[in-house]
Amino acid sequence: MTTEPAPSPGGKGSAVRPPGRRTAGRVTFRLTVPPVSGLLRPRLLAVCLGLAASAFLLFTVETSIGDISLPLTDVMRALVGSGDPATELIVHELRLPRALAGLLVGIAFGISGALLQTLTRNPLASPDMMGITQGAGTAVVAGIVLGWDWGLSTQALGLLGALLAALLVYALAWKRGTSGYRIVLVGVGVAWICTSATDYLMAHGQRFQAQAALGWLVGNLNGRTWQQITPLAVAMAVLVPPALLLGRLMRTLELGDDVARGLGTRVQTLRVGVLLAAVGLVAFGTATAGPVAFVALAAPQVAQRLAGTAFPPPLGAGLTGAVMVLASDLVARTLMDTELPVGIVTGVLGAPVLLWLLVRANRAGSGG
């Protein structure tokens, strides 16, 4: 059933909806000052608020547990600088860097995965499935085992490795342009090449070097310091706003490249910008906590189903990633007598999600 547009005062039809009208779970709005109009999705907004509250709760619980358990009220006072000196020392110097690392890494991985899955129109596309995470890992392990750091920090090595892997994927997938299908296939091949190179470096490194590299490769938040958190926080302050903007611009790609070009979208320029933003986020996140498995793959799909959208929402995916990493780290710290690396827990929880996505794609006829 179709609805004719309401007549305008001049007697002619008008296709402009009045502000505040609900359409299929969305609310249109139009402001006079400032002159802004758009669509508001109440369900997506509610999901993001709920995820933000959950992430904040997990963040405070993460800060409160340890050898000396602290009440949440004391933690809250210490976070705002009104606690006693001993509690503030424990919170700010010993526990806050780890909790912030989990929060920021989860947001970075979630947004990066949402961008790549929307770019390729493939729910299986993620940095750890396309060689980007593996490229960062190979560069960092080479710096640890071979001493090829050239005076660069772990963050710089991770960024360099991820950029080189992403450029290699894009170059090999280029054939009068790129498509999401070719990017994913080439990315899988590059991921295995980087994994093999990392395994070779691990096998030929000294014992203490291999142990240091292995502790980083499984994804670990233990022992994070402010020196590792600061570069990640700065990088996210620079990359997250354009990443969210690119996420909105990519909606035209869902209609296909030809339609997107007809709507004025610079398809290849947009793809390069999205790839650079996703690579930057995952590179700094990987350099801080290691390649935390499956977060970038699962978080966008969970957020998409919670929000009921046709694409992974970048902000919702980032908040979902933060909840996943913080919750997994709490499980890793409290489930057993010894603390497990967070990457082990996310791998155990993420593997069923990957299998479910593969089964779902196969039933839909897109899984080969």
Side-chain angles (χ1 to χ4, degrees):
M1 184 178 72
T2 60
T3 303
E4 293 294 328
S8 63
K12 296 181 179 180
S14 174
V16 179
R17 295 187 180 96
R21 181 173 178 178
R22 291 183 176 272
T23 57
R26 300 173 293 179
V27 177
T28 61
F29 68 92
R30 183 174 58 197
L31 304 178
T32 304
V33 180
V36 176
S37 63
L39 292 175
L40 179 65
R41 300 176 185 268
R43 179 175 172 178
L44 176 59
L45 179 61
V47 167
C48 288
L49 291 176
L51 290 171
S54 301
F56 180 74
L57 178 61
L58 290 169
F59 177 83
T60 55
V61 173
E62 175 90 347
T63 312
S64 68
I65 65 173
D67 293 334
I68 302 175
S69 297
L70 299 174
L72 291 180
T73 54
D74 292 349
V75 171
M76 295 296 295
R77 283 194 291 266
L79 289 176
V80 298
S82 61
D84 62 87
T87 302
E88 289 189 12
L89 176 65
I90 294 174
V91 171
H92 287 278
E93 298 300 327
L94 301 179
R95 299 182 181 177
L96 192 55
R98 178 174 187 156
L100 276 175
L103 179 69
L104 296 178
V105 167
I107 293 174
F109 278 35
I111 293 178
S112 178
L115 292 179
L116 291 176
Q117 289 178 11
T118 305
L119 174 68
T120 60
R121 298 195 294 274
N122 190 329
L124 299 177
S126 69
D128 43 6
M129 298 288 289
M130 295 172 56
I132 298 174
T133 302
Q134 289 83 353
T138 301
V140 172
V141 172
I144 294 174
V145 174
L146 303 178
W148 292 356
D149 54 7
W150 302 290
L152 299 176
S153 64
T154 303
Q155 281 82 3
L157 284 173
L159 179 61
L160 179 62
L163 280 175
L164 290 176
L167 289 175
L168 180 61
V169 170
Y170 199 81
L172 293 177
W174 181 271
K175 184 180 180 182
R176 297 187 298 274
T178 59
S179 67
Y181 181 74
R182 287 201 301 270
I183 289 176
V184 172
L185 287 181
V186 173
V188 171
V190 171
W192 279 107
I193 292 173
C194 293
T195 300
S196 300
T198 302
D199 292 341
Y200 174 83
L201 292 171
M202 293 283 292
H204 287 75
Q206 299 295 326
R207 178 177 297 178
F208 74 93
Q209 294 171 332
Q211 289 177 345
L214 182 61
W216 179 86
L217 280 174
V218 294
N220 203 337
L221 298 178
N222 189 27
R224 301 305 97 176
T225 63
W226 287 111
Q227 287 76 15
Q228 296 167 312
I229 299 301
T230 302
L232 175 61
V234 173
M236 293 190 65
V238 174
L239 292 174
V240 168
L244 296 179
L245 177 60
L246 290 171
R248 292 179 58 86
L249 296 177
M250 276 197 303
R251 295 178 186 178
T252 58
L253 295 182
E254 295 287 329
L255 305 174
D257 290 357
D258 294 335
V259 176
R261 290 191 187 96
L263 295 174
T265 301
R266 297 180 178 180
V267 174
Q268 297 304 327
T269 302
L270 180 58
R271 282 203 175 104
V272 172
V274 169
L275 197 60
L276 289 176
V279 167
L281 288 170
V282 76
F284 279 97
T286 302
T288 300
V292 183
F294 287 114
V295 175
L297 173 71
Q301 294 301 307
V302 173
Q304 179 178 350
R305 281 151 183 79
L306 288 175
T309 57
F311 52 87
L315 181 58
L319 293 172
T320 303
V323 170
M324 290 178 62
V325 174
L326 290 172
S328 298
D329 194 44
L330 283 175
V331 172
R333 297 175 67 181
T334 59
L335 187 62
M336 302 182 67
D337 295 335
T338 58
E339 291 190 8
L340 295 174
V342 65
I344 294 178
V345 179
T346 59
V348 170
L349 298 178
V353 176
L354 175 60
L355 293 175
W356 175 75
L357 288 173
L358 288 171
V359 171
R360 183 173 179 271
N362 189 50
R363 288 178 177 176
S366 58

